[in-house]
């Protein structure tokens, strides 16, 4: 292993990115410091932002005593995602401060907020498997506090679904990690040796929970809806990418051709891209709509990832593409979410700048020429060119349709948000953080070396046209749909698949014959219902084992049984 | 005899002597009793510190007292004994502080602290026993000294629990005695030997050795709470909280688990045990225990019962790691000896605090507790998350090595067991945390102790400090696992020696 000796300032920035939010979170323990900490909490992401701008790629610090030897630093993937992550957390922090109610729940909220932020930075900067796992777990668990913040029924239900999926993801990740090839004592991120199919499946599912992979996407719509706007911005903008980064880190991408996995990812991605839009279009709540849009966009990113299995030789190119796409999506999604929050607060009521400002991220997701979306679409397209011709033909046909679908969904979003816009009661104003966000979102792609190739390619006349027509088509289709009275179409309940699954589960529990029902209070409700029915048996078993005679008999029996087994 | 040969004896005496003196004190001599307690605990802590340093530098510490011809009382400090002795000493120190605070104003304190000290003496004896005979003597002593602590409250429920405890442990001890006596006729004095001592007898006594192994594991399995021999443990939760801490983390179940480790590694030798084929059934039994304990914990409302079943489940991680064999899994099992101790004692301290401060015994009464007792609840949360195995807490490191060790040996089913156990742990611990942190308080607390009103602390400082320290350790040993002074570092050392690497 090469030893790295980074200079003082980069090292300090890397450490502060992770530790400053942690320090601020622990400062909340002091009642006297609470209001001050809440005031400065958006700045907690500042070291991360500086880190992404000033620290060169390849800066690493080794922390030999941490966990089983940790390493933090920036490689291509980390530095690509760090910028958008830091910006999103800053905006989320500003939004959280705007809506703070200055009560005791606020302290709890900001504690979880800062912990989740630290987890997010930590996992982006982690360069070894266990550190990644550590910060991923920190972020996942802390996010629970953000989701249930409102404590209403919807929030608690969303929290329940979320935490179940988090535990599911955690154990899948644990199992995957012990199966991945590598040394136990200092697990590296560099996978050498063959990864088993089971491990690949587990990695896909474990991070799919975060990244909205079908069918473990069900918590996404619920949690986007349940939390405050700030939580939504962070979830949609930054934390979604944690799942993506997990795939990039742990899947054996670009190593050898695994056609089977490539095709599975490709199909899953394509399906998700259209499924997300289809379900999203029926939604009345713009937050839920954005969740489905995320599921759909993530599908497109999975298509790029499948290139790592299908054409491993050109994987570096595809990885750059997926990073560009992820950064673009995260900023656009964050801006769209922030837009909803601003309209709910009423500060921007009737403001023209707000209305037209929303057009920017919405159309950018659709891939309008000159936006970051057009560049991201270009990157996607260039990846598809590395696929075998048989697949290419299909994708050339389907991807523009996906762009049309996405644009349709965004128009639907705009119509929902705009129609909720109230008449101004007082003089409305636009927070400057929103403007900064929009400007960055529009401009960053043109100054980003990683996106250079795609950016210039997207400006060629042919490409401009390719990017333009889906948007125009979608806009005209929307007019038609609207004429049909789209609003009357049935709304698919948020969490789609979850609804029948929960219903079947309860049915199944009802089939178990009923017994006396004592008051169990620790187990989760559904599990409890099942166990309650087995209770008398359960009790009898325990009582029996405490019986004195049982002691004698069990010794004899056990000696016999073990003896037979040992033979 | 040089000073090194006195060292193990001194360590024993540092709790034996104060214990015996305390028996003679009257109830009123509170200051003297406390001084003796704390002095004993502190001296032991210092001596163990010296011992660890010495063992690390390769010194040999051995005390030998002849009992019968060819039979010695032998105290010997190797790396493995220091692991257990160190854990017990540190936790005993904290438990003593806790017990003084907990029993403030209750009756029969001299009796309690007397047996308390004897109990720790026995535990240290077990950890430093140099042969099977010495081990057995201290093992039985532990049974006898713990009984008065279990029945300390003298209620009919406590007496019943005590009876069950005795029935289980005495008969388990008897079986162990038989096995040891039998083995002695085959293999002589049974010194604990790194890499084992029985492989030379494998040819002639195969069936005998297998039977003896089964008898020993069952005898030890009672204290280690292997299903179906665990039933005494949940009953014993009627004892006061410091005793529960002693039973679950410091002494009793640990003695059983430690005994299994000794038998597998230092009597049979892990490679020989593998060859005999006795480890696979042990692994199955451990796996069954892990799942069964968690399932029972899932349906408990009484907090201490829940924790007791959680112990049943978690202690078997140690046996599981031992039984999977292979250095990596061994590290996982051995390090869990320490990690489980730290986490479980934290949880029991906290449960004791809830009961003593607010009269809370049931999970259903814990709504909103995080607001009333944030520090205790924070410590509890760390312990609980550690049990689930969330990184970077202690439990995660154990789980990581167990899982990796299983995969190294190609035993996928062990990973499945670990995954199931994690899910079940989450299913019974997370709802507790949810109640305490996210639900509002419902009505007044069951029995709020008024003397604490007006205090700036949420509870008596002697009750608050120990769980905070152990919670910090739970975090520390996981977060800094790779530092040389962590339990993991020490366990790696043991493992290299056991496998002769």
């Amino acid at each position: 292993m090469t030893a790295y000796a980074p200079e003082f300032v980069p090292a300090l920035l890397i450490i502060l990115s992770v530790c400053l939010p942690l320090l601020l979170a622990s400062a909340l323990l002091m009642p006297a410091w609470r209001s001050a900490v809440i005031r400065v909490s958006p700045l907690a992401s500042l070291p991360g932002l500086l880190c992404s701008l000033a620290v060169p790629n390849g800066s690493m610090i080794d922390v030999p005593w941490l966990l089983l030897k940790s390493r933090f630093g920036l490689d291509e993937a980390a530095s690509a995602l760090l910028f958008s992550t830091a910006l999103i957390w800053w905006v989320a922090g500003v939004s959280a401060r705007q809506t703070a109610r200055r009560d005791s729940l606020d302290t709890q909220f900001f504690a979880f907020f800062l912990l989740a932020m630290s987890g997010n930075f930590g996992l982006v900067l982690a360069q070894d498997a266990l550190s990644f796992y550590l910060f991923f777990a920190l972020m996942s668990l802390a996010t629970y506090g953000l989701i249930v913040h409102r404590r209403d029924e919807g929030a608690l239900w969303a929290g329940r679904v979320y935490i179940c999926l988090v535990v599911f993801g955690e154990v899948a990740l644990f199992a995957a990690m012990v199966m991945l090839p590598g040394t136990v004592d200092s697990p590296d991120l560099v996978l050498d040796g063959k990864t088993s199919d089971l491990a690949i499946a587990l990695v896909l599912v474990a991070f799919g929970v975060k990244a909205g992979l079908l069918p473990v996407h069900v918590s996404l719509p619920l949690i986007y809806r349940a939390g405050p706007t700030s939580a939504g911005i962070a979830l949609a903008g930054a934390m979604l990418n944690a799942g993506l980064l997990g795939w990039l880190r742990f899947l054996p991408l670009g190593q050898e051709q695994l056609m089977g996995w490539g095709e599975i990812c490709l199909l899953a991605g394509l399906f998700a891209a259209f499924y997300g839009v289809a379900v999203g279009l029926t939604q009345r709540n713009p937050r839920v709509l954005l969740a489905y849009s995320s599921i759909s966009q993530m599908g497109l990113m999975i298509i790029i990832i499948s290139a790592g299995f299908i054409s491993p030789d050109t994987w570096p190119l595809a990885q750059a593409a997926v990073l560009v796409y992820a950064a673009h999506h995260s900023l656009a999604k964050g801006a769209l979410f922030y837009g909803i929050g601003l309209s709910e607060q009423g500060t921007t009521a009737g403001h023209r700048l707000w209305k037209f400002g929303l057009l920017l991220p919405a159309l950018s997701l659709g891939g309008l020429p000159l936006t970051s979306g057009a560049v991201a679409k270009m990157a996607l397209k260039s990846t598809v060119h590395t696929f075998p011709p048989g697949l290419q033909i299909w994708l050339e046909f389907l991807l523009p349709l996906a762009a049309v679908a996405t644009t349709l969904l965004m128009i639907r979003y705009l119509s929902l948000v705009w129609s909720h816009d109230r008449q101004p009661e007082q003089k409305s104003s636009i927070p400057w953080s929103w403007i900064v966000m929009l400007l960055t979102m529009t401009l960053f792609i043109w100054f980003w070396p990683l996106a250079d190739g795609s950016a210039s390619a997207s400006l060629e006349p042919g490409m401009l046209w390719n990017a333009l027509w889906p948007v125009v088509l979608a806009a005209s289709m929307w007019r038609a749909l609207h004429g049909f009275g789209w609003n009357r179409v049935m709304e698919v309940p948020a969490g789609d698949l979850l609804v029948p699954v929960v219903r079947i589960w309860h049915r199944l529990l009802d089939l178990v014959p009923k017994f006396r029902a004592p008051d169990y209070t620790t187990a989760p409700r559904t599990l409890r219902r099942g166990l309650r029915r087995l209770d008398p048996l359960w009790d009898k078993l325990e009582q029996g084992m405490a019986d004195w005679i049982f002691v004698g008999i069990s010794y004899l029996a056990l000696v016999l049984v073990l003896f037979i087994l040992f033979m | 005899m040089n000073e090194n040969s006195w060292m193990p004896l001194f360590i024993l005496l540092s709790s034996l002597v104060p214990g015996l003196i305390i028996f003679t004190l009257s109830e009123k001599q509170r200051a003297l009793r406390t001084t003796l307690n704390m002095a004993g605990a502190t001296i032991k802590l210092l001596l163990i510190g010296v011992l660890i340093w010495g063992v690390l530098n390769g010194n040999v510490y051995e005390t030998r007292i002849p009992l019968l011809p060819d039979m010695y009382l032998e105290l010997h400090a190797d790396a493995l004994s220091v692991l257990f002795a160190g854990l017990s000493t540190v936790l005993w120190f904290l438990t003593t502080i806790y017990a003084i605070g907990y029993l403030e104003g209750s009756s029969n304190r001299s009796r309690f602290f007397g047996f308390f000290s004897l109990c720790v003496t026995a535990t240290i004896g077990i950890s430093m026993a140099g042969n099977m005979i010495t081990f057995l003597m201290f093992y039985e002593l532990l049974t006898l000294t713990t009984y008065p602590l279990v029945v300390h409250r003298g209620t009919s429920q406590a007496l019943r629990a005590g009876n069950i405890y005795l029935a289980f442990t005495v008969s388990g001890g008897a079986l162990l005695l038989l096995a040891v006596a039998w083995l002695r006729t085959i293999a002589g004095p049974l010194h604990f030997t790194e890499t084992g001592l029985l492989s030379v007898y494998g040819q002639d006594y195969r069936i005998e050795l297998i039977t003896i192994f089964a008898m020993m594991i069952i005898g030890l399995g009672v204290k280690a709470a292997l299903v179906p021999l665990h039933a005494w443990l949940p009953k014993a939760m009627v004892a006061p909280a410091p005793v529960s801490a002693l039973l679950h983390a410091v002494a009793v179940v640990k003695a059983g688990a430690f005994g299994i480790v000794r038998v597998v590694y230092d009597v049979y030798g892990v490679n020989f045990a593998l060859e005999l084929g006795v480890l696979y059934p042990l692994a199955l039994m451990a796996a069954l225990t892990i799942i069964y304990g968690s399932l029972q914990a899932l349906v408990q409302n009484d907090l201490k019962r829940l924790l007791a079943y959680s112990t049943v489940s978690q202690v078997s991680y140690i046996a599981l790691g031992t039984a999977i064999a292979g250095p990596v899994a061994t590290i996982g099992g051995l390090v869990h000896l320490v990690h489980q101790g730290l986490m479980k004692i934290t949880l029991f301290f906290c449960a004791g605090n809830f009961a003593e401060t607010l009269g809370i015994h049931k999970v259903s009464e814990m709504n909103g507790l995080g607001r009333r007792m944030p520090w205790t609840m924070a410590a509890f949360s760390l312990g609980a998350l550690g049990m689930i195995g969330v990184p970077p807490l202690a439990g995660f490191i154990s789980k990581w090595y167990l899982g990796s060790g299983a995969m190294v040996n190609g035993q996928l089913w062990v990973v499945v067991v670990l995954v199931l156990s994690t899910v079940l742990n989450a299913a019974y611990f997370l709802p507790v945390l949810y109640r305490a942190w996210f639900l509002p308080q419902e009505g007044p607390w069951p029995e709020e102790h008024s003397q604490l009103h007006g205090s700036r602390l949420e509870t008596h400082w002697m009750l608050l400090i120990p769980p905070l320290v152990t919670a910090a350790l739970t975090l520390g040993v996981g977060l800094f696992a790779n530092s040389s002074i962590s339990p993991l570092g020490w366990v790696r050392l043991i493992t290299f020696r056991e496998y002769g690497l």
Side-chain angles (χ1 to χ4, degrees):
Chain A
M1 198 176 282
T2 28
Y4 295 93
E7 288 162 38
F8 178 71
V9 175
L12 185 74
L13 278 176
I14 291 174
I15 295 169
L16 273 184
S17 304
V18 183
C19 292
L20 187 65
L22 270 185
L23 287 176
L24 286 175
S26 35
L28 283 173
L29 287 172
M30 297 290 150
W33 298 352
R34 275 175 195 162
S35 63
V37 170
I38 290 176
R39 219 171 312 129
V40 300
S41 60
L43 298 182
S45 61
L46 205 61
L49 199 60
L50 284 176
C51 200
S52 72
L53 296 173
V55 176
N57 247 349
S59 309
M60 302 277 168
I61 29 175
D62 282 323
V63 193
W65 40 262
L66 190 70
L67 285 170
L68 305 174
K69 200 194 286 174
S70 294
R71 169 178 290 183
F72 295 92
L74 287 167
D75 60 353
E76 186 181 77
S79 64
L81 291 183
L82 190 59
F83 175 72
S84 58
T85 303
L87 195 77
I88 287 289
W89 277 105
W90 171 71
V91 174
V94 172
S95 163
R97 212 178 45 180
Q98 283 165 0
T99 50
R101 291 169 307 189
R102 314 207 178 285
D103 58 12
S104 62
L105 273 184
D106 261 0
T107 315
Q108 212 184 33
F109 179 82
F110 277 93
F112 285 120
F113 184 84
L114 290 163
L115 287 177
M117 187 195 293
S118 167
N120 203 164
F121 284 129
L123 74 90
V124 169
L125 290 167
Q127 296 292 336
D128 68 283
L130 282 196
S131 307
F132 187 95
Y133 189 178
L134 158 65
F135 286 104
F136 191 76
L138 175 64
M139 185 186 85
S140 298
L141 290 177
T143 304
Y144 178 80
L146 306 183
I147 293 167
V148 300
H149 176 61
R150 286 191 182 143
R151 302 289 196 279
D152 54 23
E153 206 177 319
L156 293 180
W157 170 242
R160 194 182 291 266
V161 173
Y162 173 78
I163 203 76
C164 285
L165 280 171
V166 163
V167 171
F168 174 73
E170 281 291 312
V171 294
L173 183 55
F174 170 76
M177 280 179 53
V178 296
M179 284 177 205
L180 290 175
T183 50
V184 183
D185 272 353
S186 54
D188 258 324
L189 275 175
V190 187
L191 307 171
D192 45 357
K194 201 168 156 40
T195 310
S196 67
D197 284 341
L198 183 57
I200 294 178
L202 285 168
V203 170
L204 276 174
V205 172
F207 293 113
V209 169
K210 203 84 323 119
L213 180 75
L214 293 171
V216 283
H217 67 287
V218 290
S219 70
L220 233 51
L222 297 177
I223 60 180
Y224 279 25
R225 183 175 61 184
T229 307
S230 50
I233 297 173
L235 277 164
M239 293 197 234
L240 192 72
N241 285 347
L244 180 81
L245 185 62
W247 284 333
L248 297 184
R249 296 287 193 213
F250 291 97
L251 287 175
L253 298 168
Q255 291 183 357
E256 56 174 322
Q257 197 180 39
L258 297 168
M259 212 54 198
W261 282 111
E263 280 167 3
I264 290 175
C265 288
L266 187 62
L267 283 178
L270 271 176
F271 182 72
F274 289 101
Y275 180 82
V277 171
V279 179
L281 273 174
T282 71
Q283 300 303 319
R284 313 268 196 276
N285 182 329
R287 289 163 191 258
V288 179
L289 184 147
L290 286 187
Y292 281 105
S293 157
S294 289
I295 291 165
S296 154
Q297 292 290 306
M298 223 9 125
L300 295 177
M301 288 183 243
I302 297 169
I303 295 177
I304 309 184
I305 284 182
S306 72
F309 293 122
I310 295 175
S311 42
D313 302 335
T314 50
W315 169 241
L317 205 76
Q319 175 169 309
V322 79
L323 291 170
V324 168
Y325 204 108
H328 140 73
H329 173 247
S330 119
L331 292 179
K333 224 5 112 40
L336 289 172
F337 229 108
Y338 198 13
I340 300 177
L342 291 177
S343 105
E344 283 168 353
Q345 278 168 253
T347 46
T348 55
H351 210 298
R352 280 224 188 97
L353 186 56
W354 171 76
K355 273 194 161 180
F356 287 106
L358 274 183
L359 270 174
L360 215 56
L363 293 178
S364 170
L365 274 186
L368 190 75
L370 303 179
T371 62
S372 61
V375 179
K377 289 266 147 70
M378 192 61 229
L380 171 62
K381 209 172 156 63
S382 63
T383 310
V384 169
H385 284 307
T386 66
F387 286 5
L391 293 176
Q392 246 186 74
I393 295 173
W394 282 102
L395 288 170
E396 298 268 10
F397 171 65
L398 288 171
L399 288 181
L401 288 188
V404 174
T406 304
T407 315
L408 261 182
L409 189 60
M410 284 301 111
I411 298 176
R412 168 82 177 158
Y413 161 85
L414 289 174
S415 81
L416 281 175
V417 180
W418 280 343
S419 68
H420 283 155
D421 195 22
R422 282 171 287 178
Q423 283 306 309
E425 291 156 16
Q426 55 200 38
K427 193 168 176 290
S428 55
S429 66
I430 299 282
W432 60 280
S433 54
W434 159 251
I435 296 170
V436 171
M437 171 119 209
L438 288 182
L439 282 177
T440 320
M441 193 205 80
T442 321
L443 297 176
F444 85 101
I445 204 100
W446 307 106
F447 297 95
W448 192 15
L450 196 67
D452 255 358
S454 308
S456 49
S458 75
L459 293 176
E460 286 167 23
M463 291 303 146
L464 285 175
W465 169 241
N466 273 346
L468 186 63
W469 71 259
V471 176
V472 175
L473 178 63
S476 37
M477 276 172 76
W478 173 254
R479 290 190 65 87
L481 273 178
H482 209 62
F484 278 129
W486 183 250
N487 269 323
R488 287 195 300 272
V489 171
M490 193 191 77
E491 185 178 23
V492 176
D496 52 295
L497 278 178
L498 187 69
V499 181
V501 166
V502 169
R503 200 168 294 156
I504 291 169
W505 173 245
H506 285 280
R507 276 288 150 72
L508 281 178
L509 283 181
D510 288 339
L511 289 178
V512 185
K514 288 196 178 178
F515 290 113
R516 173 175 59 94
D519 175 35
Y520 292 131
T521 42
T522 44
R525 197 185 294 158
T526 42
L527 257 177
R528 206 157 71 219
R529 284 183 52 184
L531 286 166
R532 185 179 290 168
R533 292 181 168 83
L534 296 171
D535 175 68
L537 280 176
W538 219 232
D539 256 12
K540 234 178 241 164
L541 193 60
E542 270 302 290
Q543 286 301 333
M545 285 198 224
D547 237 330
W548 289 28
I549 303 166
F550 181 80
V551 181
I553 298 174
S554 67
Y555 281 143
L556 273 177
L558 265 180
V559 174
L560 272 175
V561 168
L562 287 180
F563 187 73
I564 293 164
L565 273 173
F566 290 143
M567 298 296 286
Chain B
M1 276 192 165
N2 58 10
E3 82 254 46
N4 280 1
S5 63
W6 286 105
M7 190 68 174
L9 198 61
F10 279 149
I11 293 177
L12 271 193
L13 293 179
S14 66
S15 53
L16 182 62
V17 173
L20 292 177
I21 299 176
I22 287 171
F23 276 121
T24 67
L25 300 180
S26 80
E27 269 314 286
K28 280 177 224 145
Q29 290 168 290
R30 179 169 169 269
L32 182 56
R33 191 174 55 231
T34 305
T35 315
L36 275 171
N37 266 326
M38 290 317 300
T42 313
I43 291 172
K44 196 190 280 294
L45 203 58
L46 292 175
L47 288 176
I48 285 283
V50 175
L51 190 73
I52 290 176
W53 183 249
V55 170
L56 194 61
N57 289 321
N59 290 357
V60 178
Y61 296 94
E62 198 170 57
T63 309
R64 237 181 216 226
I65 302 162
L67 293 173
L68 290 170
D70 198 26
M71 199 190 270
Y72 294 91
L73 182 81
E74 187 179 342
L75 295 172
H76 176 97
D78 59 12
L80 181 57
S81 41
V82 167
L83 183 77
F84 187 27
L87 170 78
S88 301
T89 307
V90 171
L91 294 189
W92 185 51
F93 181 82
L94 292 166
T95 312
T96 306
I97 299 176
Y98 187 83
I100 293 170
Y102 189 91
L103 293 172
E104 195 117 294
S106 70
S107 55
N108 293 324
R109 273 178 291 169
S110 287
R111 185 184 78 195
F112 181 89
F113 281 107
F115 281 114
F116 198 66
S117 300
L118 290 189
C119 186
V120 169
T121 311
T123 309
I124 299 294
I126 290 171
S127 70
M128 292 203 290
N131 58 36
M132 212 54 216
I133 309 294
T134 315
F135 180 88
L136 196 64
M137 284 168 51
F138 284 109
Y139 193 77
E140 290 299 308
L141 185 65
L142 181 65
T143 306
L144 300 177
T145 51
T146 327
Y147 173 75
L149 297 175
V150 173
V151 299
H152 180 72
R153 287 200 172 128
T155 59
S156 64
Q157 206 193 358
L159 288 172
R160 188 175 137 69
N163 285 343
I164 291 174
Y165 174 66
L166 270 191
F168 271 86
T169 47
V170 169
S171 52
L175 197 65
L176 184 62
L177 174 70
L178 263 179
V180 172
W182 188 359
L183 191 57
R184 217 183 116 77
T185 62
I186 296 173
L190 302 179
H191 287 288
F192 291 139
T193 314
E194 276 160 4
T195 69
L197 55 91
L198 291 181
S199 55
V200 287
Y201 305 100
Q203 287 270 309
D204 304 336
Y205 296 99
R206 193 180 160 78
I207 298 202
E208 286 87 340
L209 289 180
I210 291 174
T211 319
I212 291 170
F213 187 86
M215 287 165 71
M216 281 181 158
I217 293 299
I218 291 168
L220 293 164
V222 171
K223 280 215 173 87
L226 287 177
V227 168
L229 309 170
H230 68 286
W232 61 273
L233 189 62
K235 303 273 174 210
M237 63 93 200
V238 295
V243 178
S244 297
L246 207 66
L247 289 175
H248 287 265
V250 187
V252 180
V253 293
K254 280 304 157 55
F258 182 75
I260 294 176
V261 171
R262 273 287 194 217
V263 167
V264 171
Y265 289 107
D266 293 341
V267 177
Y268 277 73
V270 64
N271 289 326
F272 179 58
L274 264 180
E275 194 187 306
L276 278 182
V278 291
L279 291 184
Y280 187 60
L282 179 58
L284 277 184
M285 207 167 157
L288 174 74
T289 308
I290 289 172
I291 301 298
Y292 181 82
S294 291
L295 281 175
Q296 280 290 357
L298 204 55
V299 297
Q300 305 304 326
N301 188 12
D302 186 298
L303 184 58
K304 280 179 78 181
R305 272 179 80 87
L306 183 150
L307 294 180
Y309 280 112
S310 152
T311 305
V312 171
S313 166
Q314 290 275 339
V315 166
S316 278
Y317 276 30
I318 302 167
L320 184 65
T322 309
I324 298 170
V328 181
T330 300
I331 292 177
L334 286 180
V335 83
H336 203 56
L337 195 82
V338 176
H339 288 171
Q340 188 269 348
L342 289 173
M343 297 186 289
K344 194 36 76 63
I345 206 168
T346 308
L347 293 171
F348 268 107
F349 282 156
C350 294
N353 285 1
F354 300 146
E356 274 306 283
T357 317
L358 301 173
I360 290 174
H361 298 278
K362 292 201 162 71
V363 175
S364 52
E365 297 161 348
M366 289 177 75
N367 290 9
L369 194 52
R371 211 160 280 282
R372 171 64 180 79
M373 299 179 74
W375 290 96
T376 309
M377 200 55 221
F380 187 92
S381 304
L382 281 180
L385 291 175
M387 284 289 176
I388 298 170
V390 175
L393 299 162
F396 170 71
I397 300 291
S398 313
K399 207 171 74 173
W400 172 252
Y401 274 93
L402 284 174
S404 305
M407 284 316 292
V408 169
N409 290 9
Q411 304 199 18
L412 188 62
W413 69 275
V414 174
V415 179
V416 175
V417 170
L418 291 175
V419 160
L420 268 176
S421 171
T422 306
V423 171
L424 290 170
N425 270 277
Y428 62 80
F429 273 126
L430 289 182
V432 179
L433 303 189
Y434 169 72
R435 277 173 180 282
W437 291 115
F438 295 104
L439 290 185
Q441 186 184 342
E442 279 174 358
W445 303 112
E447 191 186 337
E448 190 155 3
H449 286 232
S450 49
Q451 72 266 26
L452 290 164
H453 268 314
S455 155
R456 280 188 60 221
L457 293 173
E458 61 194 44
T459 186
H460 193 288
W461 68 269
M462 283 181 124
L463 298 182
L464 187 56
I465 301 289
L468 290 182
V469 172
T470 51
L473 285 173
T474 302
L475 179 63
V477 297
L479 197 56
F480 308 125
N482 211 40
S483 66
S484 52
I485 51 163
S486 72
L488 182 68
W490 190 260
V491 166
R492 281 185 187 145
L493 178 81
I494 299 173
T495 307
F496 290 147
R497 290 185 183 175
E498 293 294 348
Y499 283 84
L501 296 173

